[in-house]
Amino acid sequence: MEPLEEREAKVAAWLKKIFGDHPIPQYEVNPRTTEILYHLSERNRLQDRDVYLVIEDLKQKASEYESEAKYLQDLLMESVNFSPANLSSTSSRYLNALVDSAVALETKDTSLASFIPAVNDLTSDLFRTKSKSEEIKIELEKLEKNLTATLVLEKCLQEDLKKAELHLSTERAKVDHRRQNMDFLKAKSEEFRFRIKAAEEQLSARGMDASLSHQSLVALSEKLAKLKQQTIPLKKKLESYLDLMPNPSLAQVKIEEAKRELDSIEAELTRRVDMMEL
């Protein structure tokens, strides 16, 4: 491995060669940058050597082609006393077209034996290119159909999403409204419960009988309703007895007693309800 000082010297020489008369950009000189620039210089040197070899090879081939062309031209002049300078303009165009075709087809010469394989190869390449083009065209058509179907599906999904969002917004509004109503009813229920409790406490402080409380009255009302239901079959039974020939005086006494008892219960209930309203 080369010493660091020697690598720095090679890097400096390489940079001077690259930039020439222009100033070399400032950079931090350390082992890391020196290593990177050294590898770049070596790679550049190898590339320059390869390019030089290619150029020399092309120069040699050009010299060989020029020598061969001169030889063929001299041979043509000696054999048929023919020179390209003596050609007409049409012949010159044909000759140039022949040369251009040979260059385009990359043939070694302009003979028919060189042109036919080159043209066949070019035709095969053309058919392969057309076949590949058709395959790409079919694939593009498939992709276009898939893309169209995807776009249609995306549009349907967007419309469904909008409908779902609208429905969700409507349902959310309904839920909010019901929640507000529920909160209002709860507040009113608490208010009524508090007012009933306060009224019961106030009536209790005034010496009201506990049987006149709201719960007692509700219980009495339910009991009265049950009694009324129980009297319905009795009334029907009584009506069946009325069709008989009873003792008028005794029946009248029983009826009057039942009426007084019923009136007494209704009067007591009315009195208690009136006291609660006070």
Side-chain angles (χ1 to χ4, degrees):
M1 184 175 182
E2 297 180 355
L4 181 62
E5 294 78 7
E6 187 176 349
R7 290 195 173 194
E8 290 179 353
K10 288 185 176 181
V11 168
W14 175 66
L15 291 175
K16 185 176 181 180
K17 178 183 177 182
I18 293 295
F19 289 97
D21 297 333
H22 299 283
I24 299 175
Q26 296 294 327
Y27 66 94
E28 183 179 356
V29 180
N30 55 47
R32 175 64 177 168
T33 57
T34 301
E35 184 72 16
I36 294 174
L37 292 174
Y38 177 75
H39 284 295
L40 289 175
S41 66
E42 286 297 311
R43 183 176 298 180
N44 182 258
R45 183 179 64 82
L46 294 175
Q47 288 180 350
D48 289 344
R49 185 191 64 183
D50 294 340
V51 171
Y52 174 77
L53 293 176
V54 171
I55 291 174
E56 290 298 322
D57 182 64
L58 292 176
K59 286 182 178 180
Q60 183 178 356
K61 287 183 178 180
S63 177
E64 293 176 357
Y65 290 154
E66 288 178 358
S67 299
E68 186 177 359
K70 187 175 184 307
Y71 169 75
L72 293 174
Q73 185 175 359
D74 293 341
L75 181 63
L76 188 63
M77 285 291 296
E78 291 178 0
S79 59
V80 295
N81 195 22
F82 174 79
S83 174
N86 298 330
L87 292 175
S88 63
S89 59
T90 303
S91 299
S92 297
R93 288 197 302 271
Y94 289 158
L95 181 61
N96 291 332
L98 184 63
V99 172
D100 292 339
S101 299
V103 172
L105 294 174
E106 298 180 354
T107 59
K108 64 180 181 179
D109 52 36
T110 57
S111 64
L112 189 61
S114 297
F115 271 114
I116 291 177
V119 171
N120 290 336
D121 292 340
L122 187 63
T123 304
S124 299
D125 292 340
L126 179 61
F127 280 121
R128 284 194 297 269
T129 303
K130 286 184 177 180
S131 177
K132 189 64 177 179
S133 177
E134 290 295 327
E135 292 178 0
I136 294 175
K137 184 178 179 182
I138 294 173
E139 189 67 24
L140 285 176
E141 291 177 353
K142 292 181 179 179
L143 291 175
E144 288 178 356
K145 291 181 180 179
N146 294 335
L147 179 60
T148 303
T150 303
L151 292 175
V152 172
L153 179 60
E154 181 182 4
K155 185 176 180 181
C156 293
L157 290 176
Q158 289 179 351
E159 292 178 355
D160 293 341
L161 179 60
K162 289 181 180 179
K163 292 179 180 178
E165 289 178 350
L166 180 60
H167 179 70
L168 181 61
S169 177
T170 304
E171 291 298 322
R172 187 181 293 112
K174 291 180 180 180
V175 170
D176 292 339
H177 181 67
R178 291 172 183 172
R179 186 183 296 111
Q180 292 176 0
N181 290 339
M182 186 180 296
D183 293 339
F184 175 77
L185 292 175
K186 285 182 178 179
K188 282 296 182 182
S189 176
E190 290 295 329
E191 180 183 354
F192 288 146
R193 188 179 293 109
F194 177 76
R195 290 173 63 181
I196 290 171
K197 185 177 180 181
E200 289 178 350
E201 291 177 354
Q202 185 178 6
L203 292 174
S204 178
R206 293 179 181 178
M208 183 194 73
D209 189 0
S211 61
L212 297 178
S213 63
H214 176 71
Q215 294 180 353
S216 299
L217 292 176
V218 171
L220 287 174
S221 178
E222 293 176 354
K223 185 176 181 180
L224 178 60
K226 291 180 180 180
L227 291 174
K228 286 183 177 181
Q229 290 295 328
Q230 293 176 0
T231 57
I232 291 176
L234 295 175
K235 287 182 178 179
K236 291 182 179 179
K237 187 175 181 181
L238 181 60
E239 289 176 356
S240 64
Y241 282 113
L242 291 176
D243 295 335
L244 302 176
M245 297 297 295
N247 188 339
S249 59
L250 183 59
Q252 187 66 33
V253 171
K254 293 294 183 180
I255 292 172
E256 290 298 330
E257 289 178 357
K259 286 182 178 181
R260 283 196 300 271
E261 184 178 359
L262 184 59
D263 292 339
S264 176
I265 292 173
E266 290 180 352
E268 180 67 19
L269 180 60
T270 303
R271 182 180 66 82
R272 294 188 180 187
V273 172
D274 293 339
M275 289 183 66
M276 279 298 298
E277 293 178 352
L278 295 175

